Amino acid sequence: MKNQRTVLVTGGARGIGKGIARSFLEAGHRVMIADLETPAEPGREWNYRLASATEMDATVDELSELGDVRCTPVDVTRADSCTTAVAATVDAFGGLDVLVNNAGIIGSGPIDRFDEAQWDRIFAVNVKGIFLMTRAALASLRAADNAAIVNTSSVSGKKGSPFIAAYAGSKFAVIGVTQSFALELAKDGIRVNALCPGMVGTAMWFDHLMANRGGADAFEKNMSEAIPLGRPQTAEDMGQAAVFLATAPNVTGIALNVAGGVQMH
Ligand code: NAD
């Protein structure tokens, strides 16, 4: 296929990342999914279950009918792991054109009881992970034609909310990082944009934010009432937008809301 691109998607084993992987495959591109190998290394357990090699393998099996999709383990908070994941992508596909920094975690709670280690981990995954993955991928992206980076921010990167200061702060930071990278890398022909999802029914909601408040059914009802377009967003909505951001030749430095009208600036 003409203009077939090689795309590396972090946090691609499930949720929004899986939707992004699916959309790139449907558009005819090659995809490397990178996610955690073990969700709960000692000392690194999170407050809800993260993905694992088993989930990543199952996703590759499911998506492989759409095109060339493979997977590699990564922990985006570790520089050596990021370097290894990029090298695995270049080995498998001969290069790298598009990096989608999608891995992310959330934690919530009142400020006076919010755990310091949890605050640090949210920033390590959501912000530092983008720096480490981008730094690891830069030589390959510079060698590609019309390379692009897509960073998953959030509508929480545009407006704060109570009880998620660490998450919202990290997602505001993603937009600042995106704009700075976009300006710094423009001369290399690398475009850098942020995707700001609204409300997508994934583990973040079902296993954490709404775990004790009715889960999936309550999520669907609440979001349908709160969102101007009358429905929550889907992982496929995010995939469609990520493909646009990665391929639109004159778009850089933007933070695109895909939120059914919840956020407009
Ligand atoms: P999710 O929990 O299903 O997906 C997050 C993925 O990131 C998981 O597969 C997880 O294993 C992976 N991950 C976590 N820590 C990692 C690490 N250190 N290294 C590598 N991978 C790691 O949730 P999701 O909703 O699909 O989230 C995807 C992105 O979308 C996140 O950046 C999130 O902040 C953002 N987002 C989600 C929503 C929403 O409504 N679900 C809204 C706005 C933004």
Side-chain angles (χ1 to χ4, degrees):
M1 176 202 161
K2 197 168 166 277
N3 288 330
Q4 187 179 39
R5 324 243 75 203
T6 294
V7 186
L8 171 54
V9 184
T10 69
R14 70 184 196 192
I16 289 173
K18 182 177 170 185
I20 291 173
R22 178 188 294 279
S23 293
F24 275 104
L25 288 165
E26 285 172 345
H29 305 295
R30 295 174 288 252
V31 174
M32 180 67 87
I33 286 172
D35 210 309
L36 293 170
E37 191 161 33
T38 50
E41 271 177 63
R44 287 183 166 239
E45 299 86 359
W46 194 237
N47 54 25
Y48 54 95
R49 191 186 55 80
L50 300 177
S52 63
T54 313
E55 202 165 356
M56 191 156 55
D57 288 342
T59 295
V60 168
D61 281 351
E62 182 187 329
L63 298 183
S64 57
E65 65 181 29
L66 299 173
D68 195 351
V69 54
R70 307 183 200 187
C71 65
T72 189
V74 77
D75 178 344
V76 299
T77 67
R78 294 179 171 177
D80 56 346
S81 177
C82 295
T83 305
T84 304
V86 170
T89 309
V90 173
D91 281 353
F93 294 120
L96 175 62
D97 304 290
V98 177
L99 171 63
V100 182
N101 286 310
N102 168 77
I105 56 174
I106 197 166
S108 61
I111 300 160
D112 46 352
R113 293 201 298 275
F114 204 86
D115 179 60
E116 184 179 343
Q118 195 170 153
W119 180 286
D120 287 345
R121 184 76 185 158
I122 289 170
F123 273 81
V125 176
N126 297 4
V127 188
K128 186 179 170 190
I130 291 179
F131 154 59
L132 292 177
M133 280 301 299
T134 301
R135 191 177 65 173
L138 213 43
S140 302
L141 294 174
R142 282 191 170 121
D145 275 341
N146 192 23
I149 299 171
V150 179
N151 298 323
T152 304
S153 176
S154 171
V155 289
S156 294
K158 302 263 180 106
K159 186 173 183 291
S161 301
F163 306 113
I164 57 164
Y167 182 74
S170 77
K171 293 300 185 179
F172 269 74
V174 171
I175 294 177
V177 168
T178 299
Q179 292 180 1
S180 301
F181 282 3
L183 290 169
E184 187 172 334
L185 300 177
K187 65 177 182 341
D188 298 317
I190 302 172
R191 294 172 304 95
V192 189
N193 292 292
L195 172 65
C196 298
M199 322 306 176
V200 186
T202 66
M204 283 192 182
W205 285 99
F206 300 154
D207 298 346
H208 182 66
L209 294 172
M210 294 194 72
N212 302 317
R213 292 193 286 137
D217 288 346
F219 173 82
E220 193 71 29
K221 183 173 181 300
N222 291 2
M223 296 311 161
S224 302
E225 287 166 5
I227 295 171
L229 284 182
R231 67 164 178 88
Q233 287 72 61
T234 64
E236 287 68 29
D237 293 332
M238 301 310 142
Q240 186 182 44
V243 171
F244 165 74
L245 291 174
T247 53
N250 207 9
V251 176
T252 199
I254 73 163
L256 178 67
N257 304 321
V258 184
V262 155
Q263 180 55 259
M264 295 196 173
H265 83 86

